[in-house]
Amino acid sequence: MNIPTTRSFYSFLLIIILSGACRNAPGNSTDVSDLEPVFHEHFGDKTYQLKWNKSRTYLLAISGIDKQHRKDLPQTLHFIVLKAKENSVVYEKHITDGKVQWYDDTKLKISGYQERVDGPEDKGNTFLYDVKEKRIIKYPIRTI
């Protein structure tokens, strides 16, 4: 084996080892099996969906009735947001006949009727919640 090939091999091996270390670092894991007790505590035996934010620092878990079973009944969504590094719940909400999704890396877009209103600015049908700042933000209205 010549010297350039050997260096290339060891460089390639080092890249593989380092990429595995980064993938398994705290907060970067895509394995959520250790969070099962948290999901069970909040959702019981109900099914749920998991959605990471872009930087994979927060995890949105949503539980509700499947749309095919919905028919004429309003759908109630129960969701929690977990901070990945700490595996702790930073936000929890129940929404009737609505939906929740990531708006950007730290904000959720939430629409629907809330079971509990946290404050006067919380009455609207659609709003943003900043999970990093832990506060509700008015939903930006587009003007033409």
Side-chain angles (χ1 to χ4, degrees), residues 11-109:
S11 297
F12 178 72
L13 185 62
L14 182 62
I15 290 171
I16 290 173
I17 291 169
L18 290 177
S19 68
C22 291
R23 191 176 321 119
N24 294 325
N28 291 342
S29 176
T30 55
D31 181 24
V32 293
S33 59
D34 55 334
L35 295 173
E36 288 296 326
V38 176
F39 301 138
H40 191 270
E41 176 186 337
H42 290 272
F43 303 137
D45 292 330
K46 295 179 184 174
T47 60
Y48 52 87
Q49 278 185 320
L50 301 176
K51 297 179 182 183
W52 286 98
N53 66 340
K54 289 179 186 176
S55 65
R56 300 183 79 75
T57 52
Y58 293 98
L59 178 62
L60 171 64
I62 309 166
S63 178
I65 302 170
D66 296 331
K67 288 183 180 180
Q68 63 188 7
H69 296 111
R70 180 176 167 179
K71 305 273 181 186
D72 297 324
L73 299 173
Q75 181 180 18
T76 299
L77 296 178
H78 177 195
F79 66 91
I80 58 175
V81 178
L82 292 102
K83 190 168 187 176
K85 285 185 181 179
E86 300 166 7
N87 291 345
S88 62
V89 176
V90 295
Y91 189 58
E92 181 173 11
K93 200 70 158 167
H94 290 82
I95 300 291
T96 301
D97 215 19
K99 64 181 182 176
V100 60
Q101 62 192 30
W102 286 108
Y103 180 76
D104 65 18
D105 199 45
T106 62
K107 293 177 191 74
L108 293 170
K109 179 181 175 186

